[in-house]
Amino acid sequence: TVSVYKHIFQEYIILEFYCGNTVPGTRLENIAVSLKGYDTTKFREVGSIGIGALDADQCESAYVALQKAPSEDGLGVQTAQFKTVLTYLLKEDGDDLGYDDEFPVEGFAITVGDYVSPRGVPGGQWNAAWEAIGAQGMEAQGKFVLNYKSLEAATEGVRKSLNMTAEEAESGSAKAATMRLSGTFAGGSQVVVKALIGLDPQRGCLMKVAVRAKNEAVCNAVVNVFA
């Protein structure tokens, strides 16, 4: 089994691959991670650390370091889709030589949400933060059609896409809801989001979203999650 964790820094992203050997009677040696299918104009692999060996039921992490290309808005936000393959020497009980094998890992993405921490405003203070940031900062808005069939799925999908803390959504009816979200963008910029989501019989799931932050580029990056 393999789980992927992303550690975000200003110029780099460290990908951690937490690997477990779940096959009884086997030993994996010289385990390495190979990244494929990503946009090399956005990311450049600059280093990696493999795993020496994993006996059955053992777990350990391998790492890949990616350098991000500079972004035009100066935020350092780059996104991409990745395919991953684990390569290793597989030894079974009684076999001292083993043979080369590989394991395709489920694809993953680096998204704008990975640059957001769900450290939101304290409970009950969202409205105050919305007004305060609006008076001092910037706002970006957008209207989008979302691929959801229910309000419940839409509100949870929006929250996960932004990786933000959400106050309880207000439902004006069974076909409309207002979401209030907040988080902290990479670099420490607080972000507050108001999303109006509705279900239309002809046009599907519609959303109008407004984002406020002190940095205009942060506002635009968050709105464009849904573009």
Side-chain angles (χ1 to χ4, degrees):
T1 59
V2 181
S3 299
V4 183
Y5 301 95
K6 307 156 197 170
H7 305 280
I8 310 294
F9 300 92
Q10 183 63 33
E11 297 182 8
Y12 299 89
I13 293 180
I14 307 300
L15 299 175
E16 178 182 358
F17 297 86
Y18 187 67
C19 306
N21 181 2
T22 60
V23 182
T26 63
R27 176 180 172 87
L28 310 180
E29 296 182 356
N30 303 326
I31 302 164
V33 177
S34 176
L35 297 180
K36 303 176 181 293
Y38 63 95
D39 189 341
T40 55
T41 66
K42 295 182 177 182
F43 293 97
R44 181 170 67 92
E45 185 174 332
V46 293
S48 64
I49 299 175
I51 301 172
L54 283 179
D55 290 320
D57 298 324
Q58 283 189 332
C59 298
E60 198 170 325
S61 291
Y63 300 87
V64 176
L66 298 175
Q67 185 176 27
K68 296 182 290 180
S71 60
E72 294 182 1
D73 57 14
L75 288 180
V77 173
Q78 297 288 6
T79 61
Q81 300 277 343
F82 293 82
K83 297 178 181 179
T84 310
V85 175
L86 288 187
T87 60
Y88 48 84
L89 180 69
L90 174 61
K91 293 183 177 180
E92 299 176 339
D93 285 348
D95 178 10
D96 292 332
L97 297 178
Y99 58 91
D100 292 329
D101 199 4
E102 63 180 36
F103 176 76
V105 180
E106 183 177 356
F108 68 95
I110 294 175
T111 69
V112 173
D114 291 316
Y115 295 85
V116 179
S117 166
R119 295 195 305 270
V121 299
Q125 297 184 29
W126 187 93
N127 287 333
W130 177 259
E131 296 299 331
I133 295 175
Q136 303 173 18
M138 309 298 293
E139 179 174 318
Q141 298 183 1
K143 296 181 180 179
F144 304 96
V145 178
L146 306 179
N147 189 27
Y148 297 106
K149 302 299 184 183
S150 69
L151 276 182
E152 182 180 4
T155 54
E156 180 62 12
V158 168
R159 186 195 66 78
K160 285 185 175 180
S161 294
L162 296 178
N163 193 31
M164 291 186 179
T165 299
E167 293 196 352
E168 186 174 353
E170 295 180 5
S171 297
S173 68
K175 296 184 178 181
T178 300
M179 295 187 71
R180 294 175 174 85
L181 307 102
S182 59
T184 303
F185 207 84
S189 179
Q190 189 176 74
V191 187
V192 285
V193 177
K194 180 185 290 185
L196 309 177
I197 302 173
L199 296 177
D200 182 271
Q202 278 74 43
R203 294 181 292 171
C205 184
L206 307 177
M207 180 179 71
K208 180 180 179 180
V209 62
V211 179
R212 290 183 177 180
K214 292 184 178 181
N215 186 321
E216 183 179 11
V218 170
C219 294
N220 292 332
V222 173
V223 166
N224 288 334
V225 167
F226 305 101

